[in-house]
Amino acid sequence: MSQLPVANQYTNVKPYRPSDAGRTLFANPQNQQMLDSFWELSNEDSNRGYHAKEIRRAVENLRGCTSAVNSFMKDGNPNRRCITHSGFEIEYELGNYYGGPQTDVTIIDIRQIKQRSHHIKRAALWNISANSRGRWEPEDEPMANLNGSRSASGKENDSIKVGINGLSNDIDHAANMLPSHILRGENGKADKLKSTGYTLFYTPQDPSVFKAGWKYLRDIGRISPKDLEASRILCDQMDYAHKNNLHVEWTSHRGGSKVLTKAMELLAQKNVKLQGRQKVFLSDHTSSHYKADIARRAIEMNTQDSKWFNATTGLAQKIGSNPLGSSDILCSINELKNHTSRDQVPGKLVNILGKAHKSWKNGAAVYGTTAGIAAACGVNAAFAAAIVATIESSSKTIIGSIPSLNEDYHKSSLTPLENLANKTFSPKK
Amino acid sequence: MLKKSTINPKGPDFRKARKIHKELSGSIVTFSAPPARDPFSSSESWEQEPSKLDIFSSESFSPYWVLRKNGDKQILDGISSIKIYSNIWEFRGLPIIEGYCGDLILNIEVLSIDSLPINESLFDNKILSKHAYKLFEITKLQDFHSGYSNDPKDITEYRWPSYIGPINSQWLENSGLDWLYMEDQPLIGKTHELLWLTPLDHKLLLSFSFSYTRSSKRADNPLSIEQKVANNSFLELASKIFESVEVQLSESSKSAKSSTHHNQSNNKKLVLDVTPKQLKEAEKILHMWNSGKNQGNNVEMNTNSEEIAQFLKERIKHRPLKNSYPVEEALHLSGQK
């Protein structure tokens, strides 16, 4: 069922460096040679050596879990998998055609993805330093994992600061935008950041016209394949930091929170507990703070900071994330304002205020006060208040019994009141 | 070369420029510059330098360093600097659709060539040229970045130069002083530098460095950025600011200057150029970075090597600036690759 020519595939696969623990890894002689060269390289203390170490770590991990968080499955072939890392891909096949245990793994191929800061193909971690002119520049090549971070050691009082970008022209642009968010407006610490530098998790962006805020509105709840790939790579990096006891602070910006939230959710699925060694800060209004909060608590991020997101709310919060319940209302208000004929306005308003009332009861704040909603719809504030009073009282039950008001199908207990409002009151011009 | 799709970004309004006054141990430097427009942060960390500085005290100077592509901050021996002034201006295209298109950073420094032998003086143009080009060589020509090859199994660590230059190097006159000017051409990034140098004393140089970076989602290398974002507005702002510069040397500087050369006509103005070997290498490097496929980008590929050669030929042409002296002597320093 695999796509490789038959000759290449399963001829002469033999176990590679068999060990007692975990699954057996099979590889054909060609791949055995390639794996051996990576093993050799990983003993070097050089850039190449670090990348080879990462490959080695990923291969060894296959003896444990075959559905790692950064693994993808090939369409139509449930046994063919691929581990995606910033610097390489490992394609492997589950299931042994020689009658051995079902869970043996055969390594099909390892492809290196050489990235340069001017040749970005995939999400990766980069060291960013300030040059003597005052601009931030990425290093030539990405780092294999957070241990390659120049800016901090990862110990408790020296956590590694990582920025996660969202919308930007290129890595250069992203590298310059993130520092002020990492500093959280504390400009006194700017000089220190300039001398140490920071780490950037750069996700390549789609160069389409939509700007931050608008694009993410359209995509609420959905994540693009590129962003999903980036989240998985990020999740793998967070897991690596966790296993190596590194302290990390993740700051997302301008849409990067989507990738960050998804990565946290993936970690939660794996039941990883960070024990407070990592923190997140969403300097970003484009996605759900609520979802991010659930995810970060599930994986035991450090939640001591009362301010963990940038306070300015944007359209996304208004629409549906924070607080719960207002999305319905906001959309309704929009519908009321722009898509309702004049004589239907009062009825719709009742509907809105009814919903608002429900969420008020749940303790969430609503977009504007009653007066605000009324003003937005061009309705008298007193009229709006009267409706609220009626909703709160029990008189809506009585109104519901009047025949002429209950002609149509009641979508909700408010329908009769809506009808009455439509018949009786006229909207302010 | 301006195509229809080229963005022509707008910079700050020069009418809002105000006079900046810096006193350097008796020498006075004034110029006009618009207020800062930082595209990246609202913190006010630009224009923070004091207006009075002592350039004869070695304590005011700090080591001169340059950031290398592998992240190392290399400190250069024998040279130190004080930052006199720094500012940044954002250049924007159409709102929402284009937004941030680049920025121009001005850094005015006084450089001290500490390693200058006692019998040499920067007022001697030959010495000034020699040190200026040496500095250019170390900071730009010896800046290597990691190259790549199209063969996936090739693990050679290629080191390619990141710049060629000096480009369009010339001497010009401004405010009664002679200045040495040069540009560079990046082979990988999108940042260009315009540099003006003039001596203030035997060992001291006044340096105006305008470093502009252009940015576009659809251009990731020096060739494609030329097609996507025009640099006219950047160059205009830089020349407007430079033309407003006025320098009054202190008495001690003036006497130091006159003691160096009794006969100014003997003070030859040497100009350095790029070598043919540099050009060949540059063509190859530009080609490699222009032909790589960047994911998700729909850039128009300019992979034709003839077009690249043509672009470089245009780029290294001599374009005299205002009040420029005619090129007397083109020099090729030995050791220039």
Side-chain angles (χ1 to χ4, degrees):
Chain A
M1 265 196 283
S2 110
Q3 314 292 317
L4 274 182
V6 182
N8 256 353
Q9 219 189 35
Y10 293 108
T11 8
N12 289 337
V13 289
K14 289 199 172 53
Y16 183 71
R17 293 183 196 244
S19 74
D20 287 332
R23 294 186 178 78
T24 316
L25 296 177
F26 283 91
N28 66 21
Q30 236 178 337
N31 287 332
Q32 294 247 1
Q33 224 175 18
M34 176 169 53
L35 285 166
D36 276 337
S37 62
F38 283 125
W39 249 247
E40 275 298 308
L41 271 177
S42 69
N43 291 325
E44 255 180 46
D45 236 346
S46 72
N47 228 346
R48 281 199 319 211
Y50 296 141
H51 287 277
K53 273 198 189 81
E54 261 315 282
I55 296 180
R56 183 170 158 172
R57 170 181 88 95
V59 170
E60 287 289 325
N61 276 346
L62 285 176
R63 294 190 200 276
C65 170
T66 51
S67 314
V69 69
N70 56 342
S71 62
F72 287 81
M73 193 170 81
K74 200 174 180 106
D75 260 340
N77 186 343
N79 289 335
R80 183 58 68 91
R81 305 283 169 91
C82 181
I83 300 265
T84 316
H85 190 277
S86 320
F88 58 87
E89 284 179 344
I90 302 179
E91 197 172 329
Y92 59 100
E93 179 117 357
L94 300 178
N96 190 327
Y97 287 74
Y98 283 84
Q102 266 276 298
T103 53
D104 281 339
V105 168
T106 309
I107 307 246
I108 303 288
D109 196 12
I110 301 185
R111 294 179 283 271
Q112 290 206 71
I113 314 266
K114 275 208 257 164
Q115 293 213 72
R116 300 285 180 273
S117 58
H118 302 276
H119 206 116
I120 306 256
K121 296 177 181 156
R122 199 176 260 180
L125 287 167
W126 302 83
N127 273 311
I128 312 283
S129 315
N131 69 14
S132 55
R133 295 283 170 252
R135 260 178 142 259
W136 296 85
E137 271 181 33
E139 244 174 52
D140 241 350
E141 294 177 58
M143 59 179 103
N145 51 53
L146 280 170
N147 266 325
S149 179
R150 286 175 156 254
S151 53
S153 60
K155 297 208 177 49
E156 192 171 344
N157 51 357
D158 187 24
S159 58
I160 305 176
K161 314 247 184 308
V162 187
I164 302 173
N165 73 303
L167 193 84
S168 63
N169 284 348
D170 53 24
I171 189 172
D172 197 60
H173 189 200
N176 280 282
M177 283 201 283
L178 250 349
S180 67
H181 294 271
I182 290 184
L183 290 170
R184 322 236 197 287
E186 284 174 56
N187 298 318
K189 302 211 177 121
D191 282 338
K192 177 149 187 279
L193 194 69
K194 277 213 160 123
S195 63
T196 57
Y198 71 98
T199 308
L200 169 66
F201 181 78
Y202 180 71
T203 313
Q205 300 292 309
D206 178 4
S208 68
V209 174
F210 289 105
K211 282 300 196 177
W214 299 105
K215 178 175 176 189
Y216 299 107
L217 196 58
R218 182 192 68 177
D219 288 335
I220 277 185
R222 298 185 288 166
I223 187 163
S224 72
K226 269 231 123 297
D227 280 344
L228 182 59
E229 186 188 65
S231 321
R232 287 174 176 249
I233 295 177
L234 177 58
C235 177
D236 183 47
Q237 293 292 355
M238 288 170 114
D239 197 29
Y240 179 91
H242 164 63
K243 293 204 169 79
N244 286 269
N245 286 328
L246 296 174
H247 287 78
V248 191
E249 272 179 44
W250 308 91
T251 304
S252 69
H253 172 237
R254 236 186 178 190
S257 51
K258 199 199 275 196
V259 169
L260 181 57
T261 308
K262 187 71 192 166
M264 290 197 285
E265 285 173 2
L266 290 170
L267 275 182
Q269 280 171 16
K270 275 180 80 177
N271 275 322
V272 165
K273 302 286 179 210
L274 300 172
Q275 293 157 5
R277 284 192 296 270
Q278 299 187 22
K279 273 192 213 187
V280 289
F281 185 86
L282 268 53
S283 194
D284 180 1
H285 62 71
T286 61
S287 62
S288 171
H289 293 161
Y290 178 67
K291 261 175 75 170
D293 199 22
I294 293 183
R296 74 176 185 137
R297 284 175 198 281
I299 55 178
E300 285 188 16
M301 283 259 176
N302 186 329
T303 51
Q304 275 172 6
D305 289 341
S306 55
K307 183 172 162 159
W308 63 281
F309 58 87
N310 199 342
T312 322
T313 48
L315 213 47
Q317 272 74 47
K318 299 264 197 287
I319 280 285
S321 26
N322 173 33
L324 269 189
S326 54
S327 63
D328 227 11
I329 298 170
L330 199 57
C331 296
S332 311
I333 292 181
N334 183 51
E335 227 225 87
L336 179 68
K337 261 181 80 173
N338 302 318
H339 301 290
T340 313
S341 55
R342 282 261 158 229
D343 50 1
Q344 301 255 322
V345 165
K348 284 251 169 79
L349 184 58
V350 168
N351 194 283
I352 292 173
L353 290 171
K355 287 184 190 154
H357 177 67
K358 263 208 296 225
S359 37
W360 275 327
K361 281 191 118 166
N362 290 339
V366 182
Y367 172 63
T369 58
T370 323
I373 297 176
C377 315
V379 177
N380 196 315
F383 166 58
I387 293 183
V388 173
T390 319
I391 291 171
E392 284 189 322
S393 75
S394 48
S395 40
K396 61 179 190 239
T397 341
I398 299 171
I399 296 175
S401 317
I402 300 176
S404 69
L405 297 178
N406 61 15
E407 280 166 337
D408 47 337
Y409 181 52
H410 286 196
K411 285 228 181 81
S412 82
S413 61
L414 288 176
T415 316
L417 183 56
E418 283 173 43
N419 292 336
L420 177 60
N422 274 336
K423 286 191 179 188
T424 336
F425 299 96
S426 59
K428 182 166 126 181
K429 294 281 179 300
Chain B
M1 258 251 284
L2 275 183
K3 294 172 151 194
K4 220 171 150 204
S5 58
T6 309
I7 304 173
N8 223 329
K10 255 184 73 176
D13 191 356
F14 199 75
R15 288 172 300 188
K16 299 217 169 77
R18 12 354 148 249
K19 246 194 154 85
I20 317 276
H21 190 99
K22 296 279 173 182
E23 200 196 305
L24 311 169
S25 301
S27 299
I28 303 199
V29 179
T30 54
F31 57 95
S32 307
R37 260 177 33 166
D38 190 341
F40 308 119
S41 92
S42 52
S43 73
E44 315 207 325
S45 55
W46 302 90
E47 288 192 306
Q48 296 296 311
E49 296 79 12
S51 38
K52 264 180 101 146
L53 287 139
D54 184 3
I55 56 175
F56 291 110
S57 141
S58 56
E59 281 156 15
S60 341
F61 285 84
S62 28
Y64 192 87
W65 60 274
V66 62
L67 181 70
R68 293 299 185 203
K69 295 281 186 286
N70 62 356
D72 285 337
K73 289 189 176 154
Q74 186 186 348
I75 298 183
L76 305 189
D77 281 329
I79 176 169
S80 46
S81 67
I82 321 177
K83 201 168 274 203
I84 308 283
Y85 179 78
S86 64
N87 207 342
I88 185 171
W89 298 282
E90 184 185 7
F91 284 72
R92 295 188 69 84
L94 292 173
I96 301 199
I97 304 177
E98 288 159 6
Y100 166 76
C101 284
D103 53 76
L104 174 70
I105 296 184
L106 166 60
N107 274 293
I108 308 179
E109 297 173 310
V110 170
L111 305 174
S112 167
I113 316 287
D114 305 316
S115 57
L116 203 64
I118 199 86
N119 62 336
E120 287 185 4
S121 161
L122 291 170
F123 287 114
D124 182 345
N125 292 340
K126 243 171 62 188
I127 308 287
L128 175 58
S129 304
K130 176 174 141 195
H131 284 276
Y133 293 130
K134 195 163 135 205
L135 187 61
F136 186 90
E137 190 181 13
I138 300 179
T139 54
K140 300 269 162 73
L141 298 178
Q142 288 174 3
D143 186 5
F144 295 101
H145 63 271
S146 191
Y148 74 99
S149 104
N150 285 320
D151 177 4
K153 298 267 192 299
D154 183 351
I155 54 172
T156 320
E157 297 193 347
Y158 291 100
R159 300 226 305 162
W160 297 342
S162 314
Y163 298 92
I164 55 164
I167 299 222
N168 198 20
S169 185
Q170 56 193 269
W171 286 84
L172 44 87
E173 184 265 326
N174 187 357
S175 178
L177 299 177
D178 290 338
W179 300 72
L180 173 59
Y181 167 81
M182 64 186 93
E183 289 172 29
D184 61 10
Q185 170 62 35
L187 299 178
I188 179 170
K190 293 167 284 191
T191 306
H192 290 69
E193 192 182 19
L194 313 171
L195 187 63
W196 276 275
L197 298 167
T198 195
L200 280 183
D201 196 73
H202 295 303
K203 284 191 176 180
L204 300 176
L205 271 181
L206 179 62
S207 140
F208 274 72
S209 150
F210 291 85
S211 173
Y212 70 91
T213 309
R214 288 171 286 176
S215 176
S216 158
K217 349 176 162 39
R218 298 183 189 280
D220 63 345
N221 62 75
L223 281 176
S224 49
I225 199 72
E226 295 287 342
Q227 295 167 339
K228 282 296 162 192
V229 183
N231 63 358
N232 304 341
S233 38
F234 296 88
L235 298 177
E236 244 179 67
L237 178 61
S239 40
K240 275 203 185 116
I241 296 177
F242 184 70
E243 275 163 30
S244 73
V245 167
E246 275 170 27
V247 180
Q248 270 175 33
L249 289 180
S250 63
E251 285 309 312
S252 61
S253 295
K254 276 194 205 146
S255 57
K257 182 170 173 180
S258 54
S259 73
T260 314
H261 264 282
H262 295 290
N263 191 355
Q264 273 295 312
S265 64
N266 223 358
N267 209 356
K268 275 214 171 351
K269 298 184 177 59
L270 301 164
V271 156
L272 201 61
D273 219 351
V274 290
T275 62
K277 192 165 171 216
Q278 271 184 306
L279 280 176
K280 274 226 117 19
E281 211 176 16
E283 268 174 55
K284 188 186 134 229
I285 297 172
L286 281 174
H287 178 84
M288 286 301 267
W289 290 120
N290 191 245
S291 59
K293 288 197 184 351
N294 219 332
Q295 283 205 315
N297 256 352
N298 297 324
V299 283
E300 297 137 33
M301 307 287 208
N302 180 14
T303 53
N304 191 336
S305 13
E306 255 180 45
E307 283 181 26
I308 297 181
Q310 185 64 23
F311 163 74
L312 279 173
K313 236 174 80 176
E314 281 297 317
R315 196 70 188 96
I316 63 170
K317 269 202 185 129
H318 182 72
R319 279 157 279 126
L321 299 176
K322 196 166 147 194
N323 292 337
S324 150
Y325 292 99
V327 176
E328 296 170 359
E329 198 175 314
L331 178 73
H332 290 279
L333 285 178
S334 62
Q336 188 80 35
K337 283 190 253 329

